[in-house]
Amino acid sequence: MSSGRARGTVVAAAGLAAATAVLEPLRGHLSLASVTLLYLVPVAGAAAAGGLWPALGAAVAADLLLNFFFVPPLHTLSVASFDNAIALVVYVLVAAAVAVAMDVVERQRAAVGRARELAEVDRLRTALLDAVSHDLRTPLAGIKAAASSLRSPDLRFSDNDRAELLATVEHATDRMTALVENLLSLSRLRAGVLSAHPEPTALDAVAAEVVLHLPDPEHARDRVALEVPDDLPLARADPGLLTTVLANLVANSLAAAPRVHITGTAHGSRVRLAVADNGPGVPAAQRAALFEPFQRLGDRGGAGLGLGLAIVRGFTEAMGGTVTPSETPGGGLTMTVELPGA
């Protein structure tokens, strides 16, 4: 027996037993019509829980219970009145019709659910192909152009020109690496195989490492203001996952505003890292969509696959934390990561 049918059978048995226990003492106060209507409830529940066959079984069992407990002569399966016999037959037919109708509704609901899932998969696949075709092709074209120029025997470059071309290759390679890492991270999240290894983690060290490894770190130091005290309580977090979370948030903010503020605070037994910018911000009504994959609403730089904030949420929740968007005072977007303290 399938799990669905087993569930429907349990619902039918429990529902019929409960209905009989409640209605039998009230037999003298209820008409047979009222009792038969109430006995349709377990049939409908069995159909919703297990489909057609448990519901049909419930309909037959309910008819027998009606006959035994509520149709004279009581406590037998005999029927003294022709009208009561008709009522029992009609009940079985009506209960069977209810079972069939409920089964059709549940099947249609399941079909709609599968159609939505397929549509979502198709949307994600289309978005992925579109994004990858653009966002991987662009750095590849830059690498190809720079490498071809450097290898050309007919071109002579100064040291500065050569350094600039090599920097182009390095920057484009970093972009491709980040894109591939984000895709791999999303696939781990979707497959449910992401594992976090929380340990006492110093938030000031994580923030400093993120800034140090930003593209063009010397320039980034001028754009990123760090206010994470070194005496801040340790967070219980996975250092690798937290570094990825903060790096995505900082890169996202740097794409939207010239300056970014990273602040660390303690709130009771939890600690917070907030990344704030004074860019265009995101309307409150649209913030719920920030964390959906392939949404560029939050990844506002125009580059990337729109996976950054989806990964931020998945990694943060894997560490037992939360991430919350809010408006920066004066305008802009603030993303606050809250983690349990160590």
Side-chain angles (χ1 to χ4, degrees):
M1 182 183 295
S2 67
S3 59
R5 289 188 181 181
R7 184 169 58 250
T9 301
V10 170
V11 169
L16 291 173
T20 302
V22 172
L23 296 176
E24 202 273 337
L26 302 174
R27 181 175 56 231
H29 305 282
L30 295 174
S31 67
L32 182 60
S34 298
V35 174
T36 55
L37 289 175
L38 292 172
Y39 263 101
L40 288 176
V41 175
V43 176
L52 179 61
W53 294 110
L56 291 178
V60 173
D63 192 68
L64 294 175
L65 290 171
L66 279 169
N67 190 354
F68 191 83
F69 287 102
F70 298 96
V71 175
L74 298 179
H75 304 138
T76 71
L77 295 180
S78 301
V79 180
S81 167
F82 183 70
D83 289 341
N84 288 338
I86 293 177
L88 291 173
V89 172
V90 171
Y91 172 80
V92 170
L93 295 176
V94 171
V98 169
V100 172
M102 290 292 296
D103 184 63
V104 170
V105 169
E106 290 300 317
R107 288 177 184 274
Q108 289 179 341
R109 186 178 301 170
V112 170
R114 286 193 296 270
R116 288 177 178 171
E117 291 177 1
L118 291 174
E120 178 65 12
V121 170
D122 187 63
R123 185 189 70 82
L124 291 177
R125 182 174 63 246
T126 302
L128 175 62
L129 292 175
D130 291 344
V132 168
S133 65
H134 174 268
D135 293 309
L136 286 182
R137 187 178 299 164
T138 300
L140 279 173
I143 293 172
K144 174 66 175 177
S148 298
S149 299
L150 288 171
R151 293 191 61 207
S152 175
D154 300 327
L155 298 175
R156 297 290 182 267
F157 296 102
S158 65
D159 291 342
N160 288 337
D161 292 337
R162 185 174 289 104
E164 186 174 343
L165 287 171
L166 290 174
T168 299
V169 173
E170 184 178 16
H171 177 67
T173 303
D174 288 341
R175 278 188 61 189
M176 289 185 61
T177 301
L179 290 171
V180 172
E181 287 179 350
N182 278 345
L183 285 171
L184 292 175
S185 297
L186 183 68
S187 67
R188 291 164 63 197
L189 287 171
R190 290 276 174 168
V193 297
L194 178 69
S195 58
H197 303 284
E199 61 184 59
T201 303
L203 298 187
D204 61 318
V206 172
E209 182 181 356
V210 167
V211 175
L212 183 64
H213 288 88
L214 285 172
D216 192 7
E218 293 186 4
H219 186 215
R221 291 193 191 99
D222 297 331
R223 300 181 59 194
V224 179
L226 274 177
E227 298 178 20
V228 184
D230 56 9
D231 61 349
L232 192 68
L234 300 178
R236 181 164 177 77
D238 184 309
L241 297 185
L242 182 57
T243 299
T244 301
V245 165
L246 189 58
N248 272 298
L249 290 177
V250 171
N252 195 59
S253 291
L254 286 173
R259 286 188 61 79
V260 174
H261 290 80
I262 305 175
T263 57
T265 54
H267 295 264
S269 63
R270 300 178 73 82
V271 289
R272 294 176 182 173
L273 272 177
V275 179
D277 64 62
N278 291 109
V282 177
Q286 299 180 16
R287 289 175 193 158
L290 279 174
F291 302 102
E292 295 299 321
F294 306 108
Q295 293 287 334
R296 294 178 185 266
L297 181 65
D299 297 317
R300 294 161 289 169
L305 299 178
L307 300 179
L309 293 180
I311 292 168
V312 163
R313 182 175 64 177
F315 280 17
T316 302
E317 291 178 350
M319 295 184 288
T322 60
V323 56
T324 307
S326 61
E327 184 177 357
T328 304
L333 182 67
T334 297
M335 303 294 291
T336 302
V337 175
E338 184 174 288
L339 296 165

